[in-house]
Amino acid sequence: MGSERSDDMAAETAAMALKVLVAGGFGVGKTTLVGAVSEIRPLRTEELLSEVGHSVDDTEGVDRKTTTTVAMDFGRITIRSGLSLYLFGTPGQDRFWFLWDELSQGALGAVVLADTRRLEDCFPAVDYFEHRRIPFVVAVNCFANARTYGAHDVSRALDLDRGTPVVLCDARDRDSGKEVLIRLVEYAWRVHTARLLDSVG
């Protein structure tokens, strides 16, 4: 019995859990992405949009949206044996940005979701992660009624640092979301490894 328990503890220790943020503008699909990929029932902190909120939240292009995240979304996905990601979806409106500093503590990296109909809405998230040197990828959520742009066009429009990945995705699709997360882990690993080598070189 004691042997089995120590084996279980060793397995848990060997497993790696990494923290990832999912950020972006209001109504871009953050809650949808976390819910689509999570292997556990996701925690959501959504509230109905109120009349007061309509005066401060720009709902152009997302006029069918009826709820908004007021704290965070949380989910978990296993990428491969021994590697799990804990996903923290950030609220999109600027009045909730004070939560970002807490959520970003200890994060491996971030996914910045973008909607090409409202590309300017993801500028604050891009600036936030660039200034804090947190690796991120931009995931363009391809809405059915939005004009399609290539990754290079989006990268130029957002004036991203060279090498920052831009991927096209469907936030509703588990496989598509998982590919975005894999790209983030690979990119963040390269960035952190390069920084470590620079610090000892």
Side-chain angles (χ1 to χ4, degrees), residues 26-27 31 46-49 64-69 93:
F26 175 67
T31 298
E46 289 194 301
E47 294 293 338
L48 289 172
L49 287 171
R64 289 190 292 177
K65 184 172 173 61
T66 60
T67 60
T68 186
T69 299
Q93 303 96 309

Side-chain angles (χ1 to χ4, degrees), residues 142-162:
C142 298
F143 289 91
N145 57 343
R147 184 175 166 189
T148 303
Y149 293 90
H152 181 68
D153 294 328
V154 173
S155 181
R156 272 195 327 188
L158 294 176
D159 193 26
L160 297 176
D161 288 343
R162 186 174 179 170

